[in-house]
Amino acid sequence: MRLPVRTDFPLGEIRRYLEPGPIVLVSSAWKGRANIMTMGWHLMLGFEPALFGCYIWEANHSFELIRRSRQCVINLPTAAMVDTVVDIGNCSGAEVDKFARFGLTTAKATHVDVPLIADCHASFECRLADGSQIRRHGLFIWEVVKAHVAARPRVPETLHYRGDGEFLVGRRTISRRGRFKPEML
Amino acid sequence: MRLPVRTDFPLGEIRRYLEPGPIVLVSSAWKGRANIMTMGWHLMLGFEPALFGCYIWEANHSFELIRRSRQCVINLPTAAMVDTVVDIGNCSGAEVDKFARFGLTTAKATHVDVPLIADCHASFECRLADGSQIRRHGLFIWEVVKAHVAARPRVPETLHYRGDGEFLVGRRTISRRGRFKPEML
């Protein structure tokens, strides 16, 4: 697969990729071990600073890597990667080196010691902003500190998980810009 | 518009509607005042109990109604309702009775004192499970205590907000059920 050409993207606008609710791949690393997990339970929590929350189950192999390193990268795969996305979610980093098995291309992050997945449309480097809800709710609250986004396609075809092995594919867009108050855009 | 026929739906499966990340309409009521807001910052936090988190900005008129009543209803509109969804997000309940202005049909909830929006594909009755992150993050953590869902269409066409007045429309689905381990479904 040809890698997307990604460039720096304004942090105040990352909602354009995360608010629609896509499945993402979370990369993590801690003391020489690295892993990837598929994740769909997340939300935006602020524009500036760019805050983002996600739920990670403590039984996931990634949980300890992420909790200890206090860093992760949120990578946005496209619908073309659906089989990889599913297979990553159906094996464990305790048994498999997922980067090697799935032939993913890593790239060095700028602000965190966690690999970016260069095959994805976008990657968001995250540092833990608030870990106080990890134990109670499995909720990690991140500040996104750097965004790498491909300019083309303008709207990537994303995967939105419905459970039971089924994904909604988001591609068609409609604009109602004219109905918005300027300050609401 | 003909109202969808909605019936009781298992709480452990509401992720099928909420995990894909759709724009929702939040209805609220407190001491004789009621309101609706458009909301896109939310995540699933648990299956059983069915936990759901959402961000609400304190400047929204709904914020105080929801914070004080400790209840809300999360309603799932379809793409056919896009103009109503946008218009609800572009006026304030401080000035407008949104139920009247937008000709919405309300129905009585079972477990909360907040109106359901009967025009929507689904409505989820919520009681506050944890309000400890409201002040710090604007984050409300809900237990969904009752779900009303239309059986048809099986997959509603939902709206996923991209910012700047633009929505991704999720309609086409693909299944990769055969690639999942049974325990991952």
Side-chain angles (χ1 to χ4, degrees), chain A residues 12-25:
Chain A
E13 296 179 27
I14 61 170
R15 69 102 66 103
R16 294 186 70 77
Y17 298 96
L18 295 172
E19 183 169 336
I23 275 286
V24 296
L25 297 175

Side-chain angles (χ1 to χ4, degrees), chain A residues 43-114:
Chain A
L43 86 171
M44 288 294 303
L45 280 169
F47 289 112
E48 292 183 29
L51 295 176
F52 174 77
C54 74
Y55 170 88
I56 299 174
W57 188 28
E58 63 182 6
N60 279 314
H61 184 68
S62 295
F63 180 88
E64 279 301 309
L65 307 186
I66 294 172
R67 192 180 66 82
R68 288 175 184 275
S69 69
R70 303 168 64 89
Q71 302 182 336
C72 76
V73 175
I74 303 294
N75 304 276
L76 179 68
T78 59
M81 296 173 67
V82 61
D83 290 343
T84 300
V85 165
V86 170
D87 292 351
I88 286 172
N90 279 273
C91 63
S92 170
E95 291 150 20
V96 175
D97 174 347
K98 300 194 196 184
F99 290 97
R101 173 177 291 190
F102 298 110
L104 295 168
T105 307
T106 58
K108 206 169 154 45
T110 313
H111 296 305
V112 298
D113 293 319
V114 175

Side-chain angles (χ1 to χ4, degrees), chain A residues 16 19 41 83 87 89-90 130 133 137 154 164-167 169 172 174 176-177 179 181, chain B residues 16 19 41 83 87 90 130 133 137 154 164-167 169 172 174 176-177 179 181 184:
Chain A
R16 294 186 70 77
E19 183 169 336
W41 289 16
D83 290 343
D87 292 351
N90 279 273
D130 181 353
Q133 301 308 304
H137 291 296
R154 186 183 73 81
D164 205 34
E166 187 174 86
F167 298 86
V169 179
R172 186 166 72 93
I174 55 177
R176 286 296 184 277
R177 208 173 189 286
R179 294 184 87 91
K181 293 183 182 172
Chain B
R16 295 187 69 78
E19 182 169 338
W41 290 15
D83 289 344
D87 293 351
N90 280 273
D130 181 353
Q133 302 308 303
H137 291 296
R154 186 183 73 83
D164 205 34
E166 188 174 87
F167 297 85
V169 179
R172 186 166 71 92
I174 55 177
R176 287 295 184 277
R177 208 173 189 287
R179 293 184 87 91
K181 292 182 185 174
M184 298 301 290

Side-chain angles (χ1 to χ4, degrees), chain B residues 137-153:
Chain B
H137 291 296
L139 179 65
F140 292 72
I141 298 179
W142 303 102
E143 179 176 349
V144 180
V145 292
K146 175 90 174 174
H148 311 260
V149 179
R152 297 268 173 274

Side-chain angles (χ1 to χ4, degrees), chain B residues 64-142:
Chain B
E64 279 301 308
L65 306 187
I66 294 171
R67 192 180 66 82
R68 288 174 184 275
S69 70
R70 303 169 65 88
Q71 301 182 336
C72 76
V73 175
I74 303 294
N75 304 275
L76 179 68
T78 58
M81 296 172 69
V82 62
D83 289 344
T84 300
V85 166
V86 170
D87 293 351
I88 285 173
N90 280 273
C91 63
S92 171
E95 292 150 18
V96 175
D97 175 347
K98 300 195 195 183
F99 290 96
R101 174 178 290 191
F102 299 109
L104 296 168
T105 307
T106 57
K108 206 168 155 45
T110 313
H111 295 306
V112 297
D113 293 319
V114 175
L116 311 174
I117 302 177
D119 312 81
C120 286
H121 184 82
S123 293
F124 304 101
E125 301 183 21
C126 298
R127 282 203 198 115
L128 194 65
D130 181 353
S132 68
Q133 302 308 303
I134 296 173
R135 186 172 304 214
R136 185 159 181 196
H137 291 296
L139 179 65
F140 292 72
I141 298 179
W142 303 102

